[in-house]
Amino acid sequence: MSQGSPGEWAPLDLTAGTPNPFVHELHLSRLQRVKFCLLGALLAPIRVLLAFIVLFLLWPFAWLQVVGLTDEQLQEPVTGWRKSVCHSGVLGLGRLLFFLLGFLRIRVRGQRASRLQAPVLVAAPHSTFFDPIVLLPCDLPKVVSRAENLSVPVIGALLRFNQAIFVSRHDPASRREVVEEVRRRATSGGKWPQVLFFPEGTCSNKKALLKFKPGAFIAGVPVQPVLIRYPNSVDTTSWAWRGPGVLKVLWLTASQPCSIVDVEFLPVYHPSPEESRDPSLYANNVQRVMAQALGIPATECEVVGNLPVIVMGRLKVALEPRLWELGKVLLKAGLSPSCVDAGAEPGRSRMISQDEFARQLQLSDPQTVAGAFSYFHQDTKGSVDFRDVALALAALDGGRSLEELMCLAFELFAEEQAEGRGRLLHQDGFSSILHLLLGSPRPAAATLHAELCRELCQAGPGQGLSLQGLSLRQFQDFSLRDPLYGKVFSTYLCLPHAPRGTPQRSKASSPGGPTALANGTAQAPKQKGD
């Protein structure tokens, strides 16, 4: 992989020929650009203004349905005049809202199952913030939403009207409560309306299905897959992790003379006994059925936190390592990692504050300091382990070979064992290295560490193994000599912005790393999710 300019990046193709679902590039001809400029100046402002007026007109209907009802009363579905009047008003105004934005036609194929036949609806691919249009042909089913959305004007009122199920991403107990609430509604015997899920959990470019999250399948009840297509000549609706922002997508879509949406109801999927017991198996099988109907691949790609990751063997790695972004921040600040004294003590953590971090890296601009500091894992006091900083600077320096860098990583994070048994890399250190260098989520890296230790221990006492950690040779076998993981390390540590060049590839690693898909502009990743 060649070194790029400071303003460019190259997302990696690690999906074995599968289209990258996180990148959307909008290519317009000169004629199309002229057309969008004219219609954008004449049509888009009027459409967007009228759509916002209708959006605010939805608020009285949403407020009327829940006003005067206690939290206990809202634990049961709303009935009577509130249901009939407010439901009809929101449904009609919702259709008018999307009509004004240019969605003149909603073509429906197949037949929606009743709430008794399929208590849960799963819609995919989830590619844009326009996807709530699928609520209209589904007769406004209940949804699952982030609790933070309750504070958004109008949107919060509509979610209360919908009697949505709320989840807090910062509260593990909230997730358990959501699971129980979904199960309660799904098994209510038709008392509750259907619950709609976007099981991908975030937006993609419609070229491949992201890995389905198991939330919609935990109840083990039948689900009905719902396909969403936008068969327009120009794809202005996609809102992927890398691509046009929300304002551009809204403006371009409103500039289209007519946008079409296809909503297709597939046959109800009845889970087998094995699928009912295993939500992940259930989710994977439904994902494959929907991908086959769409004619696109089903992938293991997903978003963990705010970072897109892909699966390589048993390891999850970031689509674009955050280390690359850190390198661009430091390069923009004029900092050469080789000039920094990163004297971390091997095997012992030393937590430093943001102020000390700035002094160590000789950074003075507060914005640059905050941006660089945010790339490291912080404890509850807001401090970071200086070993993380030392390893990151060594990787960005580019003066070490891959073998030397892996030895340094081991020396920094391995711990001395009792009774002179040498040094071993335990789960926390292993997770820190993989999270820093590859962007791997810490829980996934910890699981892989446990599996490696268990497999090595089963290989026999002659290996000199321990269930608790990896020796230097075992870590090198994993990071340098493994045909798959060696390729991942050598590719991700061939930095496109290394100030002194790129680390030399290991002779022990596999040649022929993954190729780049496309170039784009370096920008902060957009946080997109439901």
Side-chain angles (χ1 to χ4, degrees):
M1 185 182 226
S2 61
Q3 185 173 342
S5 65
E8 296 181 348
W9 66 285
L12 301 175
D13 180 12
L14 297 176
T15 54
T18 300
N20 187 330
F22 296 112
V23 178
H24 176 58
E25 295 182 348
L26 185 61
H27 300 287
L28 300 176
S29 65
R30 182 173 299 178
L31 179 61
Q32 288 173 327
R33 291 179 182 273
V34 173
K35 174 184 173 182
F36 274 109
C37 286
L38 293 176
L39 293 178
L42 300 175
L43 192 59
I46 299 174
R47 280 181 163 175
V48 173
L49 176 61
L50 293 176
F52 270 100
I53 292 175
V54 172
L55 180 63
F56 281 96
L57 289 177
L58 283 166
W59 180 83
F61 288 94
W63 173 82
L64 184 62
Q65 176 166 297
V66 299
V67 63
L69 298 180
T70 64
D71 292 339
E72 290 75 16
Q73 290 173 313
L74 289 175
Q75 293 301 310
E76 299 297 329
V78 174
T79 58
W81 66 269
R82 294 176 184 266
K83 169 71 174 178
S84 56
V85 173
C86 299
H87 183 88
S88 300
V90 170
L91 189 62
L93 287 174
R95 181 65 191 98
L96 177 61
L97 171 67
F98 284 100
F99 183 87
L100 292 173
L101 288 174
F103 294 95
L104 307 186
R105 298 180 62 189
I106 302 178
R107 302 188 303 203
V108 179
R109 302 175 183 176
Q111 185 174 2
R112 181 172 66 92
S114 68
R115 62 181 69 176
L116 283 174
Q117 294 171 319
V120 174
L121 304 173
V122 288
H126 187 18
S127 62
T128 176
F129 48 81
F130 293 120
D131 283 341
I133 196 173
V134 77
L135 291 167
L136 303 178
C138 294
D139 196 30
L140 301 183
K142 307 307 179 184
V143 299
V144 179
S145 177
R146 290 183 296 176
E148 293 82 0
N149 290 336
L150 276 171
S151 60
V152 179
V154 182
I155 301 300
L158 289 172
L159 289 172
R160 292 186 185 93
F161 154 84
N162 183 260
Q163 292 183 276
I165 302 171
F166 296 102
V167 58
S168 173
R169 296 188 175 185
H170 307 292
D171 182 9
S174 173
R175 297 178 182 271
R176 292 191 294 270
E177 293 169 0
V178 168
V179 169
E180 293 304 319
E181 182 64 16
V182 170
R183 182 180 286 112
R184 183 178 75 89
R185 296 191 186 189
T187 57
S188 65
K191 182 180 178 180
W192 277 93
Q194 292 165 309
V195 181
L196 175 69
F197 284 86
F198 291 97
E200 293 173 289
T202 192
C203 295
S204 68
N205 59 13
K206 300 189 286 283
K207 294 181 181 179
L209 280 189
L210 304 181
K211 182 179 179 63
F212 280 10
K213 299 184 182 299
F217 309 93
I218 287 177
V221 298
V223 303
Q224 183 172 31
V226 183
L227 308 181
I228 310 174
R229 299 183 179 94
Y230 296 86
N232 303 295
S233 57
V234 180
D235 181 10
T236 62
T237 60
S238 290
W239 189 47
W241 188 70
R242 290 286 187 183
V246 57
L247 293 180
K248 185 174 182 179
V249 170
L250 177 63
W251 197 262
L252 290 176
T253 303
S255 301
Q256 289 268 54
C258 174
S259 295
I260 300 173
V261 181
D262 282 347
V263 177
E264 182 179 356
F265 294 97
L266 296 183
V268 175
Y269 189 102
H270 295 272
S272 66
E274 292 79 11
E275 291 170 330
S276 296
R277 293 190 296 267
D278 187 349
S280 296
L281 174 64
Y282 191 1
N284 292 340
N285 290 342
V286 173
Q287 180 201 25
R288 283 194 288 268
V289 168
M290 297 181 72
Q292 184 177 7
L294 289 164
I296 59 178
T299 72
E300 290 289 318
C301 301
E302 60 180 323
V303 170
V304 178
N306 295 318
L307 191 66
V309 300
I310 56 179
V311 175
M312 296 295 294
R314 294 177 293 174
L315 177 64
K316 293 180 180 179
V317 297
L319 180 73
E320 178 189 357
R322 301 192 73 201
L323 188 65
W324 293 11
E325 292 289 345
L326 175 62
K328 288 183 286 188
V329 170
L330 299 181
L331 186 63
K332 185 177 180 180
L335 175 69
S336 174
S338 61
C339 298
V340 179
D341 180 16
E345 185 176 353
R348 298 187 63 181
S349 62
R350 179 165 69 90
M351 308 306 293
I352 61 172
S353 65
Q354 183 168 314
D355 292 338
E356 187 176 356
F357 174 84
R359 289 194 298 270
Q360 290 282 353
L361 270 66
Q362 305 169 21
L363 297 174
S364 57
D365 179 56
Q367 186 174 0
T368 301
V369 172
F373 193 74
S374 67
Y375 285 98
F376 299 97
H377 177 71
Q378 301 178 24
D379 63 10
T380 55
K381 297 181 180 179
S383 300
V384 303
D385 192 336
F386 192 63
R387 293 179 299 176
D388 290 355
V389 179
L391 181 58
L393 294 177
L396 292 172
D397 179 25
R400 291 176 172 85
S401 67
L402 188 57
E403 291 91 341
E404 293 171 336
L405 189 60
M406 291 301 99
C407 287
L408 175 63
F410 182 87
E411 288 299 320
L412 286 174
F413 290 95
E415 298 179 15
E416 191 71 35
Q417 301 304 295
E419 301 176 359
R421 295 175 56 192
R423 296 168 59 83
L424 292 178
L425 186 61
H426 294 287
Q427 193 174 85
D428 289 343
F430 183 83
S431 301
S432 296
I433 294 172
L434 267 60
H435 178 72
L436 184 68
L437 299 182
L438 305 181
S440 300
R442 288 178 177 269
T447 300
L448 177 59
H449 180 274
E451 293 175 356
L452 291 174
C453 289
R454 184 165 53 250
E455 292 172 0
L456 291 171
C457 187
Q458 292 172 353
Q463 300 291 330
L465 308 171
S466 170
L467 280 173
Q468 285 73 41
L470 303 176
S471 67
L472 175 59
R473 181 179 60 81
Q474 292 156 5
F475 179 64
Q476 289 176 322
D477 288 341
F478 164 76
S479 60
L480 300 177
R481 291 182 275 275
D482 184 271
L484 176 61
Y485 303 123
K487 180 184 293 186
V488 174
F489 274 94
S490 62
T491 300
Y492 272 55
L493 295 175
C494 184
L495 304 174
H497 313 298
R500 288 176 51 189
T502 58
Q504 301 173 6
R505 289 180 182 263
S506 166
K507 296 180 181 179
S509 63
S510 300
T515 57
L517 281 176
N519 287 330
T521 56
Q523 56 184 350
K526 292 168 280 192
Q527 298 183 9
K528 303 178 180 180
D530 297 319

